Amino acid sequence: MEIWDSALAHMRSRLASQHYENWLLPLEATLEGETLVLRAQNLFAAEWIRRHYLELIRATVKSQNAAVGHVDIRLDVASALDAPLDTAPADALSSRPASSSAHFVHGEPRLPSRLNPKYTFASYVVGPSNQLAHAAATAVAAQPGRKYNPLFICGGVGLGKTHLASAIGHHIATHYVGLRIEYLSAEYFTNDYIDCLQHHRMDEFRHRYRVQCDVLLVDDIQFLSGRNQTQEEFFHTFNALHDSYKQIVVTSDKYPKEIPELEERLVSRFEWGLVADIQAPELETRVAILRKKAQVEGIVLADDVAFFLAEKIQSNVRELEGTLIRVAAKASLQGRPLDLELSRECFQTGVPLPITNVTVEDVLRAVCGYYNLKLAEIKSPRRHRTVAFPRQIAMYLCRYKLGLTYPAIGDRFGGKDHSTVISACRKILDLVERDAGVRSALEEIEKRAGLRR
Ligand code: ADP
Ligand code: MG
């Protein structure tokens, strides 16, 4: 159609070619009276174009042809129903961030606040154990809502589920600027739901998760087990998003069928898309993960040490990383090289559990129980020794047993600066070497927290 063709020619020079080809070229144009109707192949594309290109299209068409009063983006119902969802435009993964190439996409990429900025595809090591889940995650990130919807990522504790789900969030946030991403745990969803129910804010709740959300990432969905009312709400949330071709990503420590007390209709929906599992990493992958982590943390890691650690810890990446940090800290504190001898020593003191499910809350509870404190006290700004010392112990455990970063620990302790956390960790590391009393206190606390048998 002539009007549209000449508008396209004009816009072509103003947009990055990939954006032009992805979004504008596939539109079908017709003129209905004074209205130029543009039909998109699926709802996702229609919404995306409305949000990002409609103004440009309107301005261009009007400047060229005064007879056109309106521009309307509609869903091409026939092709939306017929077309397989994976006949989508070229792979967006390889493109530059939308913000730098298409200036009509307004605003800077904004990361949802709960996403860990370190969990990206770039920092994820791919091996046979996680290849399928990784490939599915990149496909979903490249074309949200098109290929695998929902994507269900499952696997044991500490194998990288949260990392992958977050990486999807990052990628979409930077490549599809303007798409609204909700990243949350199923526990958060549950609490938010209960809260909104109590305060008669269900309209707001539904608006947030069904309307104002383009991509929903829900971590640890097994938490919904046995929570029937929340499951019901989640079911409707799921349907609303899925019906609008909006991407849903769910992680779980079990396959959908294996989650106890999960409604059958949710199980079946989780199986609609792709269920991708992550297995424990093989030796080579574990070594590669250690090398990557060492690089990020600025630790010089010899091959024999990497293999030694990777042999010792086989089933949990979080623990693997925690151990690397622990041996590196010991080396730097004692002014010794990080070698095999030092690594071996680290394994003689205490038997680390092969799998840790332990959370910051578990650690806090154990520390507070041991020192007879209230949870609120340990997170408070109080500096008295009776509180400060247990707080330092808790920070130490979070760093070296749970593998949290210093800033993350600062956050969990009432917004403390990361330098405060560093000095707390160093102090306790130092005491562990010198003070048998501290060692036995730690041993007891670790047992209570489930970090040690
Ligand atoms: P899960 O959610 O499955 O319990 P996480 O995603 O929290 O596990 O991963 C635990 C830790 O291990 C994180 O620090 C994560 O970055 C790291 N990790 C897991 N798998 C990989 C991987 N393949 N490459 C790099 N880091 C990984
Ligand atoms: Mg997780």
Side-chain angles (χ1 to χ4, degrees):
M1 211 227 335
E2 215 181 297
I3 298 175
W4 180 236
D5 288 345
S6 73
L8 272 181
H10 180 77
M11 290 185 290
R12 177 176 206 155
S13 60
R14 304 192 57 190
L15 291 172
S17 64
Q18 198 186 12
H19 294 268
Y20 169 82
E21 282 160 24
N22 272 3
W23 303 112
L24 300 188
L25 211 49
L27 291 172
E28 291 283 344
T30 49
L31 198 60
E32 296 182 5
E34 285 189 354
T35 304
L36 176 66
V37 177
L38 300 169
R39 287 178 208 277
Q41 286 163 0
N42 59 55
L43 199 62
F44 178 82
E47 286 188 3
W48 180 259
I49 293 159
R50 258 181 226 132
R51 193 150 346 118
H52 297 296
Y53 299 105
L54 186 56
E55 258 174 64
L56 170 71
I57 296 172
R58 265 196 196 124
T60 310
V61 171
K62 282 192 174 169
S63 74
Q64 293 184 334
N65 196 315
V68 178
H70 307 279
V71 176
D72 207 2
I73 312 285
R74 291 188 201 158
L75 178 65
D76 181 350
V77 179
S79 75
L81 292 177
D82 291 346
L85 287 178
D86 56 0
T87 51
D91 188 353
L93 251 191
S94 55
S95 75
R96 290 186 295 149
S99 61
S100 63
S101 46
H103 52 275
F104 295 104
V105 178
H106 296 294
E108 282 297 302
R110 268 197 321 172
L111 280 189
S113 55
R114 283 179 293 268
L115 276 187
N116 183 332
K118 286 192 170 173
Y119 291 173
T120 61
F121 284 122
S123 62
Y124 197 77
V125 175
V126 185
S129 55
N130 58 27
Q131 205 163 17
L132 173 67
H134 175 265
T138 52
V140 158
Q143 289 167 5
R146 297 243 176 90
K147 212 158 190 175
Y148 308 118
N149 203 12
L151 172 60
F152 190 100
I153 302 173
C154 60
V157 174
L159 294 185
K161 303 181 296 294
T162 296
H163 190 138
L164 266 188
S166 309
I168 295 173
H170 276 276
H171 190 90
I172 297 177
T174 43
H175 288 72
Y176 293 88
V177 179
L179 272 201
R180 294 154 304 181
I181 304 164
E182 279 289 349
Y183 169 84
L184 62 157
S185 64
E187 183 172 3
Y188 185 98
F189 183 88
T190 305
N191 292 338
D192 202 15
Y193 172 61
I194 293 170
D195 208 44
C196 287
L197 259 188
Q198 274 174 355
H199 297 100
H200 308 288
R201 298 203 326 254
M202 278 315 289
D203 286 349
E204 198 183 305
F205 181 88
R206 289 181 179 143
H207 196 67
R208 179 175 330 145
Y209 294 107
R210 298 184 196 179
V211 181
Q212 282 195 307
C213 169
D214 300 306
V215 177
L216 182 66
L217 310 164
V218 184
D219 213 355
D220 293 320
I221 200 78
Q222 74 276 358
F223 186 85
L224 294 190
S225 162
R227 294 168 209 266
N228 296 345
Q229 215 182 330
T230 315
Q231 284 182 30
E232 163 103 24
E233 185 61 31
F234 187 76
F235 175 76
H236 294 298
T237 306
F238 183 101
N239 291 343
L241 296 175
H242 197 273
D243 287 349
S244 315
Y245 298 94
K246 290 174 170 181
Q247 181 68 48
I248 301 159
V249 177
V250 170
T251 79
S252 164
D253 65 355
K254 297 179 191 69
Y255 283 95
K257 276 201 178 66
E258 292 170 355
I259 301 175
E261 295 184 61
L262 185 69
E263 277 185 46
E264 188 47 42
R265 55 185 187 168
L266 268 180
V267 174
S268 81
R269 270 168 184 69
F270 289 154
E271 291 172 341
W272 270 356
L274 179 71
V275 177
D277 70 344
I278 307 181
Q279 301 288 331
E282 307 70 18
L283 178 67
E284 291 79 2
T285 311
R286 297 200 298 277
V287 170
I289 290 172
L290 280 173
R291 288 200 177 118
K292 185 142 227 161
K293 184 76 182 174
Q295 195 190 351
V296 170
E297 299 278 333
I299 298 166
V300 180
L301 183 66
D303 280 352
D304 57 350
V305 175
F307 274 90
F308 173 79
L309 297 177
E311 282 287 3
K312 279 282 181 193
I313 293 160
Q314 309 205 338
S315 57
N316 181 324
V317 180
R318 188 177 296 128
E319 194 181 336
L320 192 64
E321 293 184 341
T323 308
L324 172 67
I325 307 240
R326 208 162 66 231
V327 294
K330 188 176 165 95
S332 99
L333 255 171
Q334 298 182 351
R336 292 168 55 189
L338 172 48
D339 56 13
L340 262 186
E341 188 192 335
L342 181 131
S343 310
R344 286 210 177 94
E345 283 171 26
C346 282
F347 280 89
Q348 278 151 14
T349 51
V351 190
L353 286 180
I355 289 180
T356 163
N357 249 329
V358 177
T359 63
V360 175
E361 293 303 318
D362 295 332
V363 167
L364 287 175
R365 260 192 298 275
V367 171
C368 288
Y370 186 84
Y371 290 105
N372 205 7
L373 289 174
K374 294 209 173 68
L375 270 176
E377 286 181 292
I378 205 160
K379 293 185 183 176
S380 76
R382 274 188 65 199
R383 292 201 184 155
H384 193 269
R385 198 189 133 78
T386 51
V387 185
F389 184 70
R391 188 186 295 132
Q392 290 162 343
I393 291 272
M395 288 177 169
Y396 165 90
L397 290 171
C398 289
R399 178 63 180 152
Y400 298 116
K401 300 292 170 171
L402 305 188
L404 265 67
T405 62
Y406 293 124
I409 297 170
D411 281 352
R412 299 301 295 265
F413 285 76
K416 301 251 179 330
D417 193 71
H418 78 283
S419 60
T420 309
V421 184
I422 293 178
S423 61
C425 293
R426 302 223 146 197
K427 175 178 164 188
I428 304 300
L429 262 174
D430 195 34
L431 281 175
V432 169
E433 297 295 325
R434 293 189 284 110
D435 188 330
V438 171
R439 277 202 296 277
S440 70
L442 271 174
E443 194 169 323
E444 175 59 27
I445 293 166
E446 285 177 32
K447 274 185 195 147
R448 290 187 187 195
L451 284 161
R452 192 192 277 254
R453 283 195 187 95

